[in-house]
Amino acid sequence: MVGSVEITYSPIANSNGSSHTHSNGSFQNNGTSVTAEERLDELRRRLGKSDGDLLKIVGIGAGAWGSVFAALLQDAYGQFRDKFQVRIWRRPGRSVDRSTAEHLFEVINSREDVLRRLIRRCGYLKYVEARLGDRTLYADEILRDGFCLNMIDTPLCPLKVVTNLQEAVWDADIVINALPSTETREVFEEISRYWKERIGYPVIISLAKGIEASLEPVPRIITPTQMISSATGVPIENILYLGGPNIASEIYNKEYANARICGSDKWRNPLAKFLRQPHFIVWDNSDLVTHEVMGGLKNVYAIGAGMVAALTNESATSKSVYFAHCTSEMIFITHLLTEQPEKLAGPLLADTYVTLLKGRNAWYGQMLAKGELSPDMGDSIKGKGMIQGVSAIGAFYELLSQPSLNVLHPEENKPVAPAELCPILKRLYKILIKRELSPKDILQALRDETVTDPRERIEMAQSHAFFRPSLLGQP
């Protein structure tokens, strides 16, 4: 099993500086070694589980990060079968096309461990037949063998897959939301029907990075955790957000990574301890909504970065110019959203950086600029899943265009909507939402001599009382 590989790391402090990791997966808390089973038992106690009563975790959604997250838990705790169960739900009936089936077969035969596993499970023949065109594979059945449709080249551990949503969630103790933000509300409204007779609330961890905009009665951002609470009635103290500068396949292949779990005091520290592994350090933070919004914001600018990279033949100079402009816009927007934006600078820039390097949103921007994709094809792309940055562009621009949020223009000395001071966001909106411009027009946002110096935009945000608490639904 992948989780049995031993990797040695330097000691890493947890959020309060008291925890260290070891090569065997144990941790030290105040000098005491803590094993995986002890971490599991501690969370079981927190959830009121009795002996013989399984701790049941279900992942909702089987994209790359959702599948990897479930697989990490299976790797870490799946051996404790009398105490722990993790399952993943995905919709049934999604067929795997012939070219993907052929590629799957190549991956299987290039990995001796995977080949032996499938032969032992009597699963190898179906991949032979699919390659020959004699049968159709389905996304839920390949997931049972450890293959995520959006990440074929990274075999996971076998997962328990459920295609009936009611069966998946009705008695779950912890629910992992791995759905795109655009699907979260609809699915959790259905889930709420299955929880009507439930005594007590589950704990929900949302991995979704995206937002919606609500313009009435006042402009505000709606995040996935807020969608879930509204749809199900689960109190916000039981809903947390986990995010970080992570590429799913690299995390599963044991590249060192970190993330933050944000939410209430009651759950964030116990869950951080439970989720933490030698190669995946999880810190905790109380600032739920703002971290969640920042996870959506970086996807906006990643699409533009991909466009610039493709249009300039990966010019380091052009990409750095874009980075200067886009980070100044993100800092500007951050000052509108929080009273203490400096606390978000590190996490936001780290998440942005990894997305520009290898994220699906930057890839999408590149494909648009090269003409291999077009906005008319939609934002759900085969082999990649949902491109969250597209809907986020629409939401952020619509919100920041509202006159009630007007700020004073630094040169013209007149009130303007914040979006007017974010030329990259404005141009991305015209390219992807309004479809008035082509992807190559993103370069004009960098070359226009009238564009504000990025430094001035940051200074403007820092020197004015910009914070608009109403944007996050606060009084």
Side-chain angles (χ1 to χ4, degrees), residues 321-341:
V321 170
Y322 176 84
F323 192 71
H325 282 287
C326 81
T327 51
S328 75
E329 288 190 21
M330 286 193 287
I331 291 168
F332 177 83
I333 293 169
T334 303
H335 276 75
L336 290 166
L337 297 173
T338 178
E339 211 164 8
Q340 298 178 305

Side-chain angles (χ1 to χ4, degrees), residues 208-225:
K209 294 183 176 180
I211 68 160
E212 286 183 358
S214 175
L215 303 181
E216 298 294 341
V218 294
R220 69 184 181 95
I221 291 169
I222 303 175
T223 66
T225 61

Side-chain angles (χ1 to χ4, degrees), residues 22-42:
H22 292 270
S23 59
N24 63 1
S26 66
F27 293 85
Q28 281 197 351
N29 286 297
N30 300 320
T32 304
S33 181
V34 181
T35 66
E37 187 169 16
E38 287 169 334
R39 296 200 303 276
L40 174 58
D41 287 341
E42 181 180 348

